[in-house]
Amino acid sequence: MTRRYHFGAVLSAIVLLCCGALILGQKVNAAGEGSITGTVKLDGPAPHMRGIDMSKDPYCVKQHASNPAHLETWVVGSGGGVADTVLYLDGWSGAAQTETSVPVFDQKDCMYTPHVLALDTNQEFKVVTSDQTAHNIHPLPNPMINVGWNQSQPPGAPPVTKAWKNPEVIPVQCNIHPWMHGWFVVVKGPYAVSDDSGHYTINNVPPGSYTVKAWHEPDEAQTQKVTVAAGGSATADFTLKAK
Amino acid sequence: MRTGLRKWSLLLGAAAFFALPLTSWAQLSTADIASRDNMEAHIGNLTGHVNARSTYDYKRYCVSCHGDLGDGNGEVAQWLDPPMWPKPRDFQMGVFKCRSTLTGSLPTDEDLFDTIARGLDRSAMPQWSQFTKQQRADLVAYVKHFSPRFVTEKPGTPITIPPEPEVTPERIKAGREVFARVQCWKCHGVQGMANGPSASTLTDDLGRPIAPFNFTEGSRPKCGDTDRDIYKIFMTGLDGTPMPSFADNIKPDEAWDLVFYLRTFMQGASKAKELAKTMDLKPVNPNP
């Protein structure tokens, strides 16, 4: 008898969960959010990326024994696609915070992975280390815009969880390994970062007209106007020039 | 001839443009700074103000290095060459080395008060212990009023420092392990002689060269030379410099062990140094 009740309870729980999922799922669709997609390409040949001398730290040298390290200013894939370009909506006036995932910024093989981390304002991110050598993680915001900090991360260090209050392009460095250089690109609203082939998709864009901005280090910024229909997808392709 | 001139002026202009962000972040106007002249500082039962006295003292004793706008661009600043002579602090940024608060937070009023009295060794900043406490409290208010951060943010909470335990050989050995584990030697060197592999390339937040502390040469650490000061320095970090906070990676009890181990490098009598003489302490192995 009790067993039958258990079965009934489980069954009703499943039904309830399914209903919940359906209702929540519909909520997402009801907003009619669309997306903006496109490709970032480089005009001309990929610039030569200088190799990195890591001889300061034998651990770092060992990690790159079979795969030499290069600067990551321009990461250009086959077909001229440019990685690490941040695409976002200029002058976003929608919800205060659209991104709630907690991305990870890893110190791996004495390099930053990813090289460019895009973030919404107040979006938490985690700094971790995969290395068996000490790093210090030292972002350098303008103190008038965001508050900087500097924390050590020796091998096995716990993650450092942080967020940035205001939009800003923030360089980050390790003083122990001066070649380690990356970026926190803090924007308001939805964003995307181009992948190794230069593709990107900005999701969760409410219908409307926008100016898509493409940022690439050190100070490249291009814009394009697009209109996103309810549930639709707009396209904006960019062509960058290496200086 | 003319094209040559144009080319050079363009080049110089570009160089000046790119050097700009390196010299200063903020450049607030006199009016903006004056809008904060109701700033106060609270040290014990003393209250400091921006008043005639602190204005006089600042313009008499501080302005030549720190400048009228508190941006560190006083007349003398140009003659201070880092890393030998660090540049004067830019008060507008609200970023300070000597804090009892965690990295990324504002110092307490007491921290600034102590820094003024103590001065900063190996820099042009002398001790101002000849000032009365009230004068110093007023100057703290004056220093704070340069930065909007002291209006928009609260100072951090000072870290808790447990009472100092008795120095023992075991604790010194444990401190040596901490020194090896968190890799202080990367900059400070295995014997604390500021000759670690990363020492030569260090720069401060504005890209100016800076040297790590040499424990062996007899000068005092920048932010004080008591055991508690040394504890504070590595737990809070020296903001604006490459010295990070180790608070997440060194437990309070271990921190005292590290203080004792660092004492064995330093000149000046200490019990740790006496004990170290009886121990067979070898420098840590940088590449185990």
Side-chain angles (χ1 to χ4, degrees), chain A residues 47-62:
Chain A
H48 171 69
M49 287 293 108
R50 196 161 52 79
I52 301 173
D53 174 10
M54 294 189 174
S55 54
K56 225 178 236 306
D57 193 330
Y59 170 83
C60 305
V61 173
K62 209 170 75 196

Side-chain angles (χ1 to χ4, degrees), chain B residues 5 13 20 30 42 47 56 59 64-65 91 133 138 144 146 155 162 177 186 191 209 214 223 240 242 286 288:
Chain B
L5 192 68
L20 217 58
T30 317
H42 299 277
T47 305
Y56 173 83
K59 305 235 180 233
S64 54
C65 290
F91 296 135
K133 287 193 169 172
D138 289 337
K144 282 168 67 183
F146 285 118
E177 293 309 309
K186 280 261 162 77
Q191 290 168 301
N214 182 340
C223 297

Side-chain angles (χ1 to χ4, degrees), chain B residues 85-104:
Chain B
W85 295 100
K87 291 283 186 194
R89 180 100 322 214
D90 176 352
F91 296 135
Q92 295 184 4
M93 299 195 295
V95 175
F96 292 91
K97 289 190 189 79
C98 305
R99 292 163 294 104
S100 58
T101 62
L102 285 178
T103 176

Side-chain angles (χ1 to χ4, degrees), chain A residues 56 133-134 138 144 147 150 176, chain B residues 92 104 183 186 197-198 205 245:
Chain A
K56 225 178 236 306
T133 187
H138 191 174
M144 296 290 167
V147 178
N150 181 8
I176 299 170
Chain B
Q92 295 184 4
Q183 304 184 3
K186 280 261 162 77
S198 298
D205 281 15
S245 157

Side-chain angles (χ1 to χ4, degrees), chain A residues 57-193:
Chain A
D57 193 330
Y59 170 83
C60 305
V61 173
K62 209 170 75 196
Q63 295 309 104
H64 287 276
S66 58
N67 117 65
H70 294 275
L71 292 184
E72 295 175 316
T73 314
W74 290 96
V75 178
V76 182
S78 55
V82 178
D84 289 337
T85 312
V86 180
L87 294 303
Y88 63 102
L89 308 177
D90 200 23
W92 168 258
S93 57
Q97 197 190 347
T98 57
E99 301 291 340
T100 47
S101 61
V102 183
V104 172
F105 192 70
D106 192 7
Q107 296 155 104
K108 194 170 186 303
D109 303 337
C110 306
M111 302 283 278
Y112 290 128
T113 312
H115 177 63
V116 174
L117 182 66
L119 294 159
D120 196 351
T121 47
N122 296 312
Q123 182 182 8
E124 285 194 339
F125 63 99
K126 237 184 235 180
V127 181
V128 302
T129 178
S130 307
D131 280 343
Q132 289 304 307
T133 187
H135 295 295
N136 73 309
I137 176 89
H138 191 174
L140 295 164
N142 179 337
M144 296 290 167
I145 301 174
N146 282 298
V147 178
W149 38 268
N150 181 8
Q151 299 207 0
S152 77
Q153 287 212 307
V160 172
T161 305
K162 297 277 182 184
W164 300 107
K165 275 196 181 136
N166 297 304
E168 187 184 358
V169 174
I170 303 171
V172 54
Q173 66 173 28
C174 171
N175 297 97
I176 299 170
H177 307 106
W179 61 83
M180 287 176 73
H181 194 273
W183 301 90
F184 295 125
V185 181
V186 189
V187 301
K188 271 190 176 156
Y191 59 77
V193 182

Side-chain angles (χ1 to χ4, degrees), chain B residues 213-231:
Chain B
F213 180 60
N214 182 340
F215 288 87
T216 62
E217 67 177 8
S219 64
R220 299 188 307 172
K222 276 239 154 56
C223 297
D225 63 351
T226 68
D227 289 352
R228 279 174 70 86
D229 289 332
I230 296 169
Y231 184 112

